[in-house]
Amino acid sequence: MNQNTNRYLAEEKIGKLLLKFSIPCIMSLLVSALYNIVDQIFIGRGVGYLGNGATNVVFPITVISLAIALMIGDGCAAYLSLCQGKKDIESSNKSVGNAVTLLVLTGIVMTAVFAVLKNQILTAFGATENNFALADEYFNFIIIGIPFFVVGNGLNSIIRADGSPKFAMITTLIGCLLNVILDPIAIFVLGWGMMGAALATITGQIVTAVCGLVYLTRAKSVKLDKRSFIPDRNIISKFMPLGISSFLTQISIVVIMGVMNNVLVTYGARSKYGADIPLTVVGIVMKVFQIVISVCIGIAAGSQPVIGYNYGAGEYKRVKELFTTIVKVEAIVGAVALVFFEAFPLQITAIFGSEDGLYNEFAVKAFRIFLSMIIFTCIQKSVSVFLQALGKPSMAMGLSLLREFILSVPLAIVLPMFFGVEGALYSAPIADVGTLIAVVIMSAITLKELNKKISEEPVAEPITDAA
């Protein structure tokens, strides 16, 4: 970043900085989440709820790809901001070049792996006899766009850290708009069904990735040459750990979806709802849940350049103010979301297509139970991203591991044994309550550390007139 930008990050009011950096980030993440939701809306109306069930089965590979993209992109972005605060230009350039190399290579490798393991993946994520053919068709085409999806999302984080959050938002928005325009044409006009939905998504992903690559040629603070793209183990080892929290946040969704899908199919088949209704409904609930989480992570991740720069520059009072402000805003977002999910579950479900009484009955239960503690989820996600921005990957990773793996997965397996298919819905709120304790402890530790650093700051001598 140039000198004017540095001064802006260090001196502008916190509220204005949050608006400038967080809103574009929120929009970018929301648009990414909307890719799959748009597909579900059009597929639900053009193919039916079995088509939606099929997209839920394939959705985890998209989340796995996003997890890898954010581990590299967010890690590089956090490291880039810290380097900018320390005026370390050489490391900034190398980190971005190495990140681009990793994004391209991992995207290609993931496509190959997914293609080879297709049947095993569909089975593992709960494909049923009724929706397997639809899932197979969607899978075959969606993996073509994986390299572009990885590159586009990874570069978005880096572009935001470079001081261009609006550009990152616009490129993602363009890709999503293309998807929205092409989806109904491909599904209804051309009659391509699942294949059409996948091709519309891929087109948007390609455009977003190309825009991101073009941006690097005119980046504000980074100057890349051929040497920047040569893998440097030292640089990679510094920025990759900073992205682990982002990776775990996303990959946990995959683990939970894999467990939940299989649990819902198994116990749903023993209930009056059958296997396909719970599988489809919870998939929709988790997609809507992703919208709220995108807002929460967008607030914190969008502020990452501000947090990282001020922490690297020793402006600890501003870092503390950022922390308290972000947590308050996240709690408000969670409260608003909770009101909508508790009051209008049926109306939200109807966006994805109208079905029979049992389908609607389970949808209302799913929204009201599964998302009942979403306020705690919002706070946990923001604290985790904030710790990541401070260069504390272990603490950030600990929060993600606790909620998503240590609590949610075992609860999703055990509770249905006693309470049937509805028991799976209670795994999320119970995990949220348990994680809140750790969030409070880690927040107290972080604030204590910041207060100590603030107290150690030298006090400026008062300026007096000469005698």
Side-chain angles (χ1 to χ4, degrees), residues 66 183 193 200 250 293 362 369 415 457:
L66 182 60
D183 251 332
Q250 297 297 325
I293 295 305
F362 192 83
I369 296 173
L415 291 177
E457 291 179 352

Side-chain angles (χ1 to χ4, degrees), residues 102-129:
L102 288 176
L103 288 167
V104 173
L105 292 177
T106 54
I108 294 171
V109 170
M110 290 174 70
T111 295
V113 171
F114 290 151
V116 172
L117 300 177
K118 178 180 67 174
N119 289 335
Q120 293 91 326
I121 291 172
L122 294 178
T123 301
F125 289 112
T128 67
E129 182 180 349

Side-chain angles (χ1 to χ4, degrees), residues 129-141:
E129 182 180 349
N130 293 328
N131 67 28
F132 191 93
L134 294 171
D136 181 76
E137 180 183 356
Y138 191 70
F139 187 101
N140 288 337
F141 290 94

Side-chain angles (χ1 to χ4, degrees), residues 281-342:
V281 165
V282 173
I284 290 173
V285 171
M286 294 188 77
K287 298 280 181 66
V288 175
F289 171 70
Q290 274 296 99
I291 293 178
V292 179
I293 295 305
S294 293
V295 175
C296 293
I297 294 178
I299 292 169
S303 307
Q304 199 171 65
V306 186
I307 299 166
Y309 178 85
N310 281 280
Y311 191 75
E315 298 288 342
Y316 303 118
K317 287 183 180 178
R318 287 176 65 78
V319 175
K320 180 181 177 181
E321 185 180 353
L322 278 163
F323 179 80
T324 54
T325 302
I326 288 171
V327 169
K328 290 176 184 177
V329 173
E330 301 284 19
I332 293 172
V333 171
V336 172
L338 179 63
V339 170
F340 273 93
F341 295 148
E342 295 296 322

Side-chain angles (χ1 to χ4, degrees), residues 1-12 17 21 80-81 83-89 161-162 221 305-306 309-310 313 315 318:
M1 295 182 185
N2 57 38
Q3 195 63 35
N4 290 334
T5 302
N6 291 341
R7 187 161 52 249
Y8 180 72
L9 293 177
E11 298 175 0
E12 183 58 84
L17 285 172
F21 283 86
L80 178 61
S81 297
C83 288
Q84 288 167 344
K86 298 175 182 178
K87 308 298 189 292
D88 186 351
I89 305 302
D162 188 56
S221 64
V306 186
Y309 178 85
N310 281 280
E315 298 288 342
R318 287 176 65 78

Side-chain angles (χ1 to χ4, degrees), residues 166-238:
K166 288 184 179 179
F167 185 90
M169 175 187 70
I170 291 170
T171 58
T172 310
L173 186 60
I174 290 172
C176 185
L177 286 175
L178 277 173
N179 187 28
V180 172
I181 293 169
L182 294 176
D183 251 332
I185 295 173
I187 295 173
F188 299 110
V189 179
L190 299 177
W192 288 351
M194 303 298 289
M195 178 186 74
L199 291 176
T201 298
I202 293 169
T203 303
Q205 292 169 347
I206 292 173
V207 171
T208 297
V210 170
C211 289
L213 291 170
V214 170
Y215 174 87
L216 293 180
T217 63
R218 61 175 189 82
K220 293 181 178 179
S221 64
V222 180
K223 303 300 179 185
L224 303 177
D225 54 33
K226 291 181 180 179
R227 292 173 298 174
S228 304
F229 298 98
I230 299 173
D232 184 325
R233 184 181 300 177
N234 182 49
I235 290 292
I236 293 173
S237 66
K238 288 180 179 178

